[in-house]
Amino acid sequence: MTTQNTADGYRNNRVGPVLRLSEITEGVIEAAREDNPGKTIRVDDKIAYVRIDTEGELVLRRATLERTLGRPFKMSELEVNLGSFAGRIETTDDHVRFYYEKML
């Protein structure tokens, strides 16, 4: 039974960042919820890191992060705290997008 559950974990379309626990973590969680309306954002707190994910596509906008953190924010700061991620990633100065091109 464990083998089946493990195999099912690899067959999903969940995407998003895995952040090292830092002062930006709560702001990123809040921004993920705000920037992805209508989606269920799952937060899995593993104490040393936090996995934030949703189905198919997750976007984080710099402007939203600045508002949730209450200070100026450069997207490179997110990259420094990014331990890993699920899906593919697209980054610009104004947003980061985690996505899958094809749905499983």
Side-chain angles (χ1 to χ4, degrees):
M1 191 68 157
T2 302
T3 304
Q4 182 62 38
N5 290 339
T6 301
D8 288 343
Y10 292 106
R11 282 189 236 118
N12 65 57
N13 296 307
R14 300 200 70 83
V15 297
V18 178
L19 298 175
R20 294 179 194 94
L21 190 59
S22 72
E23 75 277 356
I24 71 165
T25 304
E26 287 301 318
V28 172
I29 293 167
E30 187 177 337
R33 291 181 173 137
E34 189 174 323
D35 284 340
N36 299 276
K39 291 189 167 233
T40 300
I41 304 298
R42 183 172 63 181
V43 176
D44 188 8
D45 186 346
K46 299 292 190 182
I47 301 174
Y49 68 91
V50 176
R51 180 180 302 275
I52 304 164
D53 63 22
T54 193
E55 190 74 21
E57 179 184 54
L58 187 143
V59 175
L60 296 169
R61 292 180 176 80
R62 183 180 49 79
T64 309
L65 288 162
E66 288 181 339
R67 189 170 55 261
T68 61
L69 294 169
R71 62 175 175 80
F73 186 82
K74 290 186 178 185
M75 296 311 285
S76 60
E77 189 177 344
L78 179 67
E79 294 170 17
V80 169
N81 289 285
L82 193 64
S84 185
F85 61 91
R88 298 187 73 176
I89 189 170
E90 169 189 293
T91 59
T92 72
D93 291 340
D94 294 318
H95 77 271
V96 63
R97 176 180 169 239
F98 302 90
Y99 68 99
Y100 274 122
E101 286 185 4
K102 296 180 180 179
M103 299 299 279
L104 300 175

